[in-house]
Amino acid sequence: MITLEVMTGLSAGSVYELDAPVLTIGRAPSNQVVLTDYHLSGEHGQIFREDDRYIYRDLKSTNGSRIQRGTREILLDGSSDDGRWEAPLLDGDKLLLGNPAEPVVVTCRVSLEDARFAEKQELIAQRALAELSEVQGKIERDPIRAAALYNMAKKLGRRGLDLTAVFEGLAEAIFELVPRSTHFAIDLADDPAGESRLNTVYARAKSGPQSERFAVSRSVVRLVQRNKAAVLVGNAKQEIGTESVMKADIVSTIGVPLWEGETIRGVMQCDNRGGGAFFGVNDLELMTAVAGVATLAIENARLVQRLRLAEEKLRGEVKYLKGREEKRRFSDIIGESNAMTAIFRQLEKVIDTRATVCIEGETGTGKEVIASAIHYQGRRRDKLFVAQNCAAVPENLLESELFGHKKGAFTGADHDKKGLFDVADGGTLFLDEIGEMSLGLQAKLLRVLQEGEIRPVGATASKSIDVRIICATNRSLEKEVERGAFRQDLFYRLRVFPLRLPPLRERREDIPLLVEHFLRKYTAEMNKPVAGITPESLDQLSAYNWPGNIRELENEVQRCVIQCDPEGFITPDLLAPAVRKVEGLLGRVAPKKGTLKDMMEEIERWLLTEALREHGGNKTKTAETLGITREGLHKKLAKYGM
C-alpha cells in the first residue's frame, strides 16, 4: 500500500491510498492521480511496485521530477551524469513535480507487507559487510579453497579489461566453485557512488546458450542491500515464496555484495533452479571470496568502458563540429542582412592571407568577434589568438606588455617577462583601440610591421617573430592622421585591408535574430524558461537606435530575462525607458489619412526635420545619422522644399 498526500498546488489536501501494481500521475484525466497544475505533463510520472519496494519513474516530463529525502534531493530528469529517470520511494519521501521554483509537493507513505518474509529471516544465513574480510582470510588459510580461488583469479586476469569478458569469467568461476549453481546474475549500480537502483547487467544459465535470457528474482538482491550482508536462502520457495521465486522454480539462492568499504556497488546472485539441491555455508563463503576479487575487476573494466565511451563521444562531437564548420565558417557571427553578407564576403577573401586587417566601427559592434573569426577560421587557428586593449593599459606599461622586458630594465622588473608579440608568435595579435596608442609606441609598432622583429625593454638584441596583426578602432584614423595624433606611415601599414562594421541601426533586420540568440543564451545560463518575446516588444527593439550597438542589445535582453516571470513573455513594460520612447513615434508624427505614398512622405519629412534639429542644421552629421550621403540628403530636402 502507498499513500500519496498532495501538499501544494491546485490539488493540495487531496489524499490517495493506492494498492495497484502500476499507477500514473499527471494532468490527463486517465491518470490514477490527477494533478491539473499547468507545469505538469499529461503523464508526468509513474509509480510501480517491484518485489518489496515502490519505484517512481519520471515519464520524460517537460519540467522533470525530484525526490526529497531529508536534506537530500534526487534529480530525475535524465540530466545527471547517470541519466537517471527513476528511483525507489522510501516512507516519508516527498515528490517534487514540475516547475523547480514552485513544484507540486506530494508526500509518500509506503507500507509493504513483508511480515511473512521477515518472520522467516532466521532461516537465512548471512555475513555482514564487516565480516566479509574475515571470511576471505579464512578461505585463504584453507589450502584447497585457496588454490581454487587462486586459479579463478588467474583465469579472470586473462580476461583483460573488457567488461563482458569479465562477466563471463565470473560466471565460469561460480559454476566451477559452486557446483550446485544453475543460474548466475550480476546487478550493478548505475552511478559510481553505488547509491542508485541496482539493475541486472548480466545473467547466464549453466546449461544452454549464453545468450539465453531468464527472469531474475530481486528479493535477495534487496535483502543484501537492506541488511548490507551476504545472504544464503536454503529453501527459497518456503523462506521467500514470492511470485518471482515460484515462477522461476528457484530452490535455493545466494546473494553476495560487490562492496568497497561501506558502499555496495552491486550484487552477485547464483540460484539452484529445479534441481532440488540446497546451498550450504561453504558455498556462501566461496561466493564471498569471489566477490572480493570481482569488485576490483568489474570497476576497472567499467572505468575502461566509460573512457572508451567518452572517447567515442568526443570523436563524434569533433566530427560533428568539423562538419558544421565546413557548412558555415562564421557560425558565431549573427546576421543575415545585406550589410553583414557583404562583411562575410570580405572575410572570405582575407582570412587565409597575411594581410594586416584594420576593423573600424562604433563601440559594441563586435570588432573582437570579427578579429577572432579571422584567426580561428584561418591557417593560424592552431596557434594563439591574443587580444590587448590599448586604451586599458597606461602608456608606460603598454610597451612592456606588448614587447616584454628584461630583468632590471626598470624599477620593479625583477624577472624577465614575455611580451604579447612573443606569446602570439605564429598566431594573431589583436590590438583594440589602436588610436589610443602614443606616437612613441606607434614608431616601435611600425618597426615590427616592417622588420618582423621585436626588442624587449632593456634588451640589446632583437628577436624575429611571425605575428599577424589585426587592429580595431572606433575613431576615424584618417582624421587622427590629419591632426597629427597618428603616424601616417603606420596608418598605411595597418590599413592594408580596412573593414567597416556597420552599427546596429544600419542592420535592423538582424535585430530579431540577435534577440533570439541572446534569449537562448541567457535562459540557458539562468536555467529560467521564458516563453518568448511579444511582437510589440520586438518592434520597439527594432525601432530603437542602439547607440551601444550589439553590446547594449545583449544587456537589454539579459535584463529582460532577469525581470521576466518563468514561462512568461517579454512585454513592452519590461523594456528600458530609453527603448520605450519609440513607442509613441507614430502618435507624434500623426500623418493625415491618405494614400500610402502621401503618408510615407509626411513621415519622411518629419524625420528629416527632427534629424536636422538634433544636429543644429549640420547637414553632414544629419546625413551620417540617417545613413545616407550628403548628396542624398540634399535631394530629399529639395524634394520637400526644405
Side-chain angles (χ1 to χ4, degrees):
M1 174 73 71
I2 185 167
T3 302
L4 304 177
E5 182 178 357
V6 185
M7 310 301 293
T8 65
L10 298 177
S11 303
S14 301
V15 178
Y16 299 85
E17 291 187 356
L18 304 157
D19 199 21
V22 179
L23 60 96
T24 56
I25 301 172
R27 286 202 329 268
S30 57
N31 294 293
Q32 285 83 357
V33 178
V34 179
L35 303 175
T36 56
D37 302 77
Y38 75 94
H39 52 90
L40 268 61
S41 298
E43 288 191 347
H44 195 93
Q46 180 187 73
I47 297 176
F48 59 94
R49 183 165 178 173
E50 186 179 78
D51 288 335
D52 60 343
R53 67 176 183 172
Y54 282 102
I55 307 290
Y56 175 81
R57 176 183 294 152
D58 185 276
L59 298 177
K60 298 190 177 180
S61 61
T62 302
N63 292 315
S65 307
R66 290 168 291 156
I67 295 177
Q68 183 176 319
R69 184 169 295 159
T71 58
R72 179 187 172 204
E73 280 194 5
I74 303 171
L75 188 64
L76 303 175
D77 65 356
S79 64
S80 57
D81 292 339
D82 57 1
R84 184 187 301 181
W85 290 97
E86 63 181 57
L89 287 173
L90 303 181
D91 187 48
D93 281 354
K94 291 181 179 179
L95 286 173
L96 310 180
L97 308 177
N99 184 358
E102 296 181 4
V104 174
V105 179
V106 180
T107 299
C108 306
R109 298 295 176 194
V110 179
S111 174
L112 293 169
E113 296 178 0
D114 289 335
R116 184 174 63 85
F117 187 58
E119 286 172 2
K120 300 193 176 184
Q121 283 191 13
E122 70 274 9
L123 301 177
I124 300 173
Q126 65 180 32
R127 297 288 185 272
L129 283 182
E131 303 175 66
L132 297 187
S133 297
E134 182 182 334
V135 171
Q136 283 184 298
K138 176 182 175 183
I139 289 177
E140 289 169 2
R141 291 189 295 272
D142 182 332
I144 297 175
R145 293 195 295 181
L149 190 63
Y150 173 71
N151 290 330
M152 181 277 298
K154 279 203 309 182
K155 291 178 183 177
L156 193 61
R158 288 196 289 269
R159 295 283 175 164
L161 292 172
D162 179 77
L163 190 59
T164 302
V166 171
F167 290 159
E168 290 292 340
L170 287 171
E172 291 172 9
I174 293 300
F175 292 143
E176 182 179 338
L177 295 173
V178 186
R180 297 185 183 92
S181 60
T182 61
H183 293 73
F184 174 74
I186 298 175
D187 289 63
L188 293 178
D190 291 331
D191 66 312
E195 295 183 358
S196 64
R197 175 191 176 198
L198 297 185
N199 295 301
T200 303
V201 296
Y202 177 83
R204 177 180 164 184
K206 189 173 187 177
S207 59
Q210 293 184 7
S211 59
E212 181 185 357
R213 297 183 63 84
F214 57 86
V216 177
S217 173
R218 303 185 65 82
S219 299
V220 172
V221 175
R222 302 285 175 252
L223 192 60
V224 170
Q225 283 187 290
R226 186 163 57 240
N227 291 5
K228 289 197 170 185
V231 297
L232 160 64
V233 183
N235 189 335
K237 292 181 180 178
Q238 180 180 343
E239 296 165 4
I240 299 178
T242 61
E243 182 181 348
S244 58
V245 168
M246 304 303 288
K247 188 175 180 180
D249 195 17
I250 298 176
V251 175
S252 189
T253 184
I254 297 174
V256 296
L258 299 166
W259 81 98
E260 183 179 348
E262 291 296 313
T263 302
I264 294 178
R265 299 190 179 280
V267 172
M268 289 198 316
Q269 180 179 356
C270 72
D271 303 333
N272 179 285
R273 302 191 180 196
F278 298 129
F279 292 129
V281 174
N282 184 59
D283 297 321
L284 175 67
E285 291 180 345
L286 275 170
M287 280 273 292
T288 301
V290 172
V293 178
T295 302
L296 183 59
I298 290 173
E299 286 304 309
N300 287 341
R302 291 183 85 186
L303 176 60
V304 170
Q305 185 184 61
R306 286 195 292 270
L307 289 173
R308 286 173 179 165
L309 289 173
E311 183 182 21
E312 188 62 31
K313 180 183 177 183
L314 183 61
R315 191 180 294 116
E317 289 175 351
V318 169
K319 184 178 179 181
Y320 166 75
L321 290 172
K322 283 184 176 178
R324 189 179 68 172
E325 194 66 33
E326 289 173 1
K327 292 178 183 177
R328 184 178 179 186
R329 299 189 74 181
F330 307 111
S331 57
D332 54 344
I333 304 175
I334 309 297
E336 296 178 357
S337 62
N338 292 334
M340 290 308 297
T341 303
I343 293 291
F344 293 145
R345 285 198 298 267
Q346 289 179 284
L347 290 176
E348 291 282 1
K349 294 174 182 177
V350 78
I351 271 178
D352 287 322
T353 69
R354 290 178 54 87
T356 303
V357 180
C358 182
I359 305 172
E360 299 173 343
E362 296 178 7
T363 299
T365 50
K367 296 187 286 295
E368 186 168 346
V369 174
I370 295 293
S372 64
I374 293 172
H375 171 79
Y376 287 111
Q377 303 296 337
R379 297 169 184 166
R380 296 173 179 260
R381 67 174 68 91
D382 294 330
K383 300 295 183 179
L384 288 179
F385 172 80
V386 181
Q388 175 62 54
N389 188 325
C390 298
V393 181
E395 179 186 343
N396 59 331
L397 296 180
L398 184 58
E399 181 179 359
S400 170
E401 197 70 24
L402 293 177
F403 303 111
H405 63 250
K406 304 296 288 183
K407 181 179 179 180
F410 50 83
T411 303
D414 54 359
H415 62 279
D416 289 354
K417 177 186 175 181
K418 273 189 174 185
L420 296 183
F421 274 101
D422 213 353
V423 173
D425 194 15
T428 303
L429 178 60
F430 173 57
L431 298 175
D432 199 6
E433 304 299 349
I434 190 73
E436 302 290 339
M437 187 178 287
S438 68
L439 288 170
L441 205 50
Q442 289 177 31
K444 295 185 178 182
L445 177 59
L446 179 63
R447 176 179 172 79
V448 176
L449 293 172
Q450 289 175 333
E451 308 295 336
E453 294 180 344
I454 60 168
R455 181 178 295 179
V457 178
T460 57
S462 298
K463 178 181 179 181
S464 296
I465 48 100
D466 172 26
V467 175
R468 183 178 191 177
I469 301 292
I470 301 176
C471 66
T473 179
N474 60 8
R475 298 182 180 184
S476 169
L477 289 185
E478 290 178 282
K479 291 181 179 178
E480 294 297 300
V481 170
E482 288 175 7
R483 71 183 189 89
F486 203 85
R487 293 180 62 103
Q488 189 175 45
D489 46 4
L490 180 60
F491 170 74
Y492 291 124
R493 280 281 182 179
L494 292 175
R495 277 181 59 103
V496 175
F497 193 91
L499 199 64
R500 178 186 176 273
L501 291 188
L504 195 53
R505 61 182 173 275
E506 292 182 15
R507 43 180 289 221
R508 295 182 189 275
E509 55 268 49
D510 289 333
I511 289 177
L513 292 174
L514 289 163
V515 169
E516 181 183 353
H517 170 73
F518 293 136
L519 272 177
R520 284 198 304 268
K521 174 182 176 180
Y522 288 110
T523 52
E525 184 179 299
M526 300 177 196
N527 194 24
K528 182 179 183 179
V530 172
I533 182 169
T534 63
E536 295 84 356
S537 302
L538 195 56
D539 287 344
Q540 290 185 34
L541 291 173
S542 299
Y544 182 56
N545 264 346
W546 299 109
N549 292 294
I550 298 172
R551 187 180 296 125
E552 184 184 3
L553 175 61
E554 180 176 2
N555 293 340
E556 180 68 16
V557 174
Q558 182 183 15
R559 194 180 57 76
C560 288
V561 172
I562 292 171
Q563 292 190 108
C564 186
D565 293 329
E567 303 291 354
F569 281 88
I570 294 176
T571 52
D573 59 291
L574 298 179
L575 302 178
V579 178
R580 292 203 302 270
K581 282 182 181 178
V582 301
E583 189 174 7
L585 176 61
L586 290 179
R588 296 201 303 274
V589 177
K592 296 177 181 178
K593 290 186 178 180
T595 65
L596 178 61
K597 179 175 179 294
D598 291 339
M599 288 191 291
M600 292 301 294
E601 285 180 350
E602 190 170 346
I603 292 172
E604 188 174 38
R605 182 198 298 272
W606 183 87
L607 291 171
L608 289 169
T609 302
E610 285 294 301
L612 282 168
R613 182 181 59 77
E614 286 180 11
H615 294 292
N618 187 314
K619 294 178 182 177
T620 301
K621 291 184 178 178
T622 300
E624 288 179 1
T625 301
L626 295 175
I628 60 178
T629 63
R630 184 180 171 86
E631 291 74 17
L633 177 62
H634 277 295
K635 288 181 181 179
K636 290 184 179 294
L637 294 177
K639 175 182 176 181
Y640 297 118
M642 297 172 63

